[in-house]
Amino acid sequence: MRYDIDQLDTLLTVMELGTVTAAAARLNLSKSVVSKRISDLELELDAALFRRNAGRIVPTEAAHRLADRIRPALADIRAAAEAAGSGGDQQIRGTLSIAAPVSFGTLHLSPILARFAAAHPGLTLRVDYDDRFTDLARACTDLAIRIGPLADSALMARKLCEDSSMPCASPALLDRLGRPETPQDLTGQPVIGYSHMPNAELWRFGRVRPAVSEVMTINNGEAIRDLAIAGVGFAMLPGFLAEPAFAEGTLERVLPQTANRPLPIHAVWPPVQPIPAKLRALIDHLTNEFSAGAPWKRPT
């Protein structure tokens, strides 16, 4: 069989972005070159890697199996090339793909990444803010920010800081409906749901799960906060969204005697060895930025 790294890298890029057009734009190639690389690879492997239907391409199971095997190998090759240096030039180069939840990304990660980009002008950062879970391997993502307890996985992780989630509501709504004294007092109360988590989990206090009344469901934390401030219903918010509103008096902590639910914030990345210099630089930068604790908890 005769195939090269460019063909394999093109395969991963098409799988990540979902279209030949998007892959061609990222790789700075024509669509015909991208299509030919994929076709040539299929011929060499004697296997269909994509199903083509009405302009859409969907990876086959063979493509997923191949991608799972070659991702770490390509990462090792890139790391080895970086470690070899480039004629004494120590500037970090290449591309880093980063994923993070939307609100945390826009409020707190963007300025941190701006400082990182300024320090490493040879790097290109590709940033995806999305509250949905990101499969780092299948999305070809170098690093992601995860909020909440980490599930068991093969990913490497570094804890950046500790946050917590807490129930809250506007003072006007609490004046109208009363201030709950126990979690059970939330039964039947209007709440704003979060699209990516069922209410039975979101509104859980240890073993107590009050049967709340969902009046609206939103897929973004900042929108939930703003609706709570407007008095639409109770909200369960992370500290990085709730604390500023508490300070301004637009939201009030509900059940202050109840312990907050811990929300550790981690940077996670695939278990590549050795870690590429560009990825290590980003991990070290994030660690340094959060070394003084969560920015929203620091005194102003």
Side-chain angles (χ1 to χ4, degrees):
M1 292 184 182
R2 300 185 62 182
Y3 42 82
D4 56 36
I5 290 178
D6 286 340
Q7 290 174 331
L8 299 176
D9 188 50
T10 300
L11 167 69
L12 295 181
T13 304
V14 173
M15 291 181 65
E16 175 191 356
L17 300 180
T19 68
V20 169
T21 300
R26 174 175 292 186
L27 296 170
N28 196 26
L29 298 170
S30 68
K31 291 190 291 184
S32 61
V33 170
V34 171
S35 296
K36 187 173 188 308
R37 284 183 179 179
I38 296 299
S39 298
D40 289 347
L41 185 58
E42 289 179 317
L43 286 174
E44 289 294 338
L45 298 175
D46 192 23
L49 298 175
F50 292 95
R51 293 190 298 273
R52 298 159 175 84
N53 182 26
R56 295 181 65 251
I57 56 173
V58 179
T60 63
E61 186 58 35
H64 284 301
R65 287 197 305 268
L66 175 61
D68 289 344
R69 296 289 298 273
I70 65 176
R71 281 191 189 100
L74 289 180
D76 285 345
I77 291 171
R78 294 190 181 102
E82 289 180 4
S86 54
D89 182 0
Q90 297 303 309
Q91 186 179 24
I92 298 174
R93 303 180 185 277
T95 301
L96 271 175
S97 178
I98 303 159
V102 177
S103 296
F104 183 84
T106 56
L107 292 174
H108 300 292
L109 188 61
S110 286
I112 292 173
L113 293 180
R115 290 188 284 272
F116 181 72
H120 301 286
L123 269 178
T124 298
L125 303 183
R126 301 190 185 278
V127 184
D128 182 14
Y129 289 155
D130 195 325
D131 285 346
R132 291 172 295 185
F133 180 83
T134 300
D135 184 324
L136 272 63
R138 293 206 165 183
C140 297
T141 300
D142 296 299
L143 180 141
I145 302 297
R146 296 272 167 84
I147 300 177
L150 291 178
D152 291 338
S153 74
L155 296 176
M156 305 299 292
R158 180 171 295 182
K159 185 175 179 179
L160 300 177
C161 64
E162 184 79 36
D163 199 14
S164 56
S165 64
M166 57 204 73
C168 55
S170 70
L173 183 138
L174 293 171
D175 288 342
R176 178 165 57 89
L177 298 180
R179 286 165 172 78
E181 296 182 358
T182 68
Q184 290 89 338
D185 292 340
L186 288 169
T187 300
Q189 296 286 17
V191 302
I192 305 164
Y194 180 50
S195 302
H196 301 294
M197 183 178 292
N199 280 325
E201 178 62 23
L202 183 64
W203 294 91
R204 177 176 59 83
F205 301 85
R207 296 183 178 180
V208 178
R209 291 179 168 85
V212 295
S213 177
E214 186 177 79
V215 295
M216 192 175 293
T217 305
I218 306 292
N219 66 350
N220 175 262
E222 290 172 275
I224 293 174
R225 177 202 59 199
D226 293 345
L227 289 166
I229 290 172
V232 171
F234 291 82
M236 186 71 74
L237 291 174
F240 69 81
L241 286 175
E243 295 287 356
F246 293 161
E248 295 167 359
T250 53
L251 285 178
E252 183 176 321
R253 170 79 196 276
V254 175
L255 302 174
Q257 72 281 8
T258 303
N260 294 338
R261 185 187 306 177
L263 281 180
I265 298 177
H266 290 86
V268 300
W269 63 93
V272 293
Q273 291 294 337
I275 297 177
K278 59 187 179 181
L279 178 55
R280 181 175 294 281
L282 176 59
I283 295 166
D284 290 344
H285 178 78
L286 291 171
T287 302
N288 181 65
E289 288 277 349
F290 284 94
S291 61
W296 55 93
K297 295 182 180 180
R298 298 173 194 167
T300 55

